[in-house]
Amino acid sequence: MNEHDTRGGTMTGVDPGRLDDQQLMKELETIHRTRHDTLLYGSNDALRAHNDRMARLEGEWLRRNPRRPVAAGRTREGARERGCGQGAAPGG
């Protein structure tokens, strides 16, 4: 996992396809945690790199989990039907 990819001379992290499931989830948790600060305070280049890395990580997770549970409240129809106080998580 020490091999990092570069694009245009910018280090982009380990290719998500080379991460095991636990490493991929850790990378996703980290990038989502840092998203707000990057959006508010990062340079345009930092935000572009963050967007690219996040898309690559999320794309890999979706590729590995094509049948993930989708909460009814997270669909357009479910959001319209959702009443006050109902959660959007699966089973909620």
Side-chain angles (χ1 to χ4, degrees):
M1 189 174 111
N2 293 334
E3 297 178 31
H4 288 74
D5 295 330
T6 57
R7 290 188 182 181
T10 301
M11 190 172 291
T12 60
V14 175
D15 180 347
R18 295 196 310 230
L19 299 172
D20 65 29
D21 289 347
Q22 185 177 359
Q23 292 167 328
L24 178 60
M25 186 55 66
K26 184 176 179 180
E27 289 284 320
L28 282 164
E29 289 169 354
T30 299
I31 203 157
H32 286 132
R33 188 175 55 250
T34 60
R35 179 66 181 166
H36 192 74
D37 282 346
T38 304
L39 176 64
L40 294 179
Y41 309 114
S43 67
N44 288 340
D45 286 342
L47 186 57
R48 245 187 314 275
H50 202 272
N51 287 343
D52 181 60
R53 180 70 176 162
M54 187 164 52
R56 292 174 62 224
L57 290 167
E58 289 177 346
E60 179 62 20
W61 191 88
L62 290 169
R63 186 189 69 73
R64 294 181 192 186
N65 298 280
R67 294 194 161 110
R68 72 192 190 286
V70 176
R74 298 300 296 182
T75 64
R76 287 182 184 197
E77 182 179 336
R80 287 185 205 106
E81 293 175 3
R82 187 172 54 227
C84 187
Q86 287 182 319

